[in-house]
Each structure stands twice: as structure tokens, then as C-alpha cells.
């Protein structure tokens, strides 16, 4: 199992690989277990994963950037967050 520090490092690397410019400030993390009910979608989760949230680098925006980190170290940025 990845530690929270490892998860944050993987999320930062994912953002760094995704774009250029400064990395945004960390907002927080949350570990979701298989079987948990997601707070926004109300669906039952089918796998374990970490959500890592970052503030937007734009000071006039209240957008949050999310990186999903799976226990095997794979990451993704849900495109639904890029409205």
C-alpha cells in the first residue's frame, strides 16, 4: 500500500507531466475504499483509490484540480473536472 506521502508525490509528478508552469498548492487528500459510497455521485465504489486535490494556480479561480492515485501507482486526472 502506498503511503500518503508517496501518493502526493505521484500526484505532483502527474500534474508536472501534464502541463507546464508552477505546481498548484495542495488542498488535501482522501482515501476511498472499495464499497464506500461516493459523496457526490452516490455510487458504490468498485476499487480503492486516493483523491488528491490541488488549488488552481489562478488566484481568481476557486477551481480544484483532482488527481486520482490507485494503489498500484497509476494515476489519472478526471477530464470531467476540466469544464
Amino acid at each position: 500500500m502506498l503511503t500518503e506521502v508517496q501518493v502526493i508525490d505521484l500526484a505532483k509528478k502527474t500534474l508536472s507531466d501534464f502541463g507546464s508552469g508552477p505546481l498548484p498548492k495542495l488542498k488535501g487528500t482522501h482515501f476511498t475504499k472499495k464499497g464506500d459510497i461516493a459523496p457526490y455521485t452516490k455510487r458504490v465504489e468498485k476499487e480503492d483509490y486516493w483523491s488528491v486535490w490541488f488549488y488552481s494556480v489562478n488566484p481568481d479561480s476557486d477551481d480544484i484540480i483532482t488527481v486520482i492515485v490507485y494503489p498500484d501507482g497509476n494515476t489519472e486526472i478526471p477530464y470531467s473536472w476540466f469544464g
Side-chain angles (χ1 to χ4, degrees):
M1 178 65 83
L2 297 169
T3 67
E4 187 173 19
V5 171
Q6 291 171 316
V7 166
I8 292 168
D9 286 345
L10 284 168
K12 286 180 177 179
K13 181 179 181 332
T14 299
L15 285 181
S16 178
D17 291 348
F18 186 77
S20 61
L23 283 176
K25 182 179 172 187
L26 178 68
K27 178 177 180 8
T29 63
H30 177 75
F31 182 70
T32 301
K33 291 182 182 181
K34 180 179 178 177
D36 285 354
I37 297 175
Y40 298 107
T41 63
K42 304 298 183 202
R43 71 176 186 211
V44 176
E45 295 300 335
K46 297 179 182 171
E47 59 190 323
D48 294 344
Y49 64 90
W50 284 88
S51 298
V52 184
W53 299 291
F54 296 90
Y55 293 102
S56 172
V57 293
N58 179 350
D60 297 326
S61 173
D62 60 356
D63 288 344
I64 299 296
I65 301 165
T66 302
V67 178
I68 303 299
V69 181
Y70 297 99
D72 63 3
N74 284 325
T75 62
E76 71 175 272
I77 300 173
Y79 289 104
S80 62
W81 291 91
F82 294 100

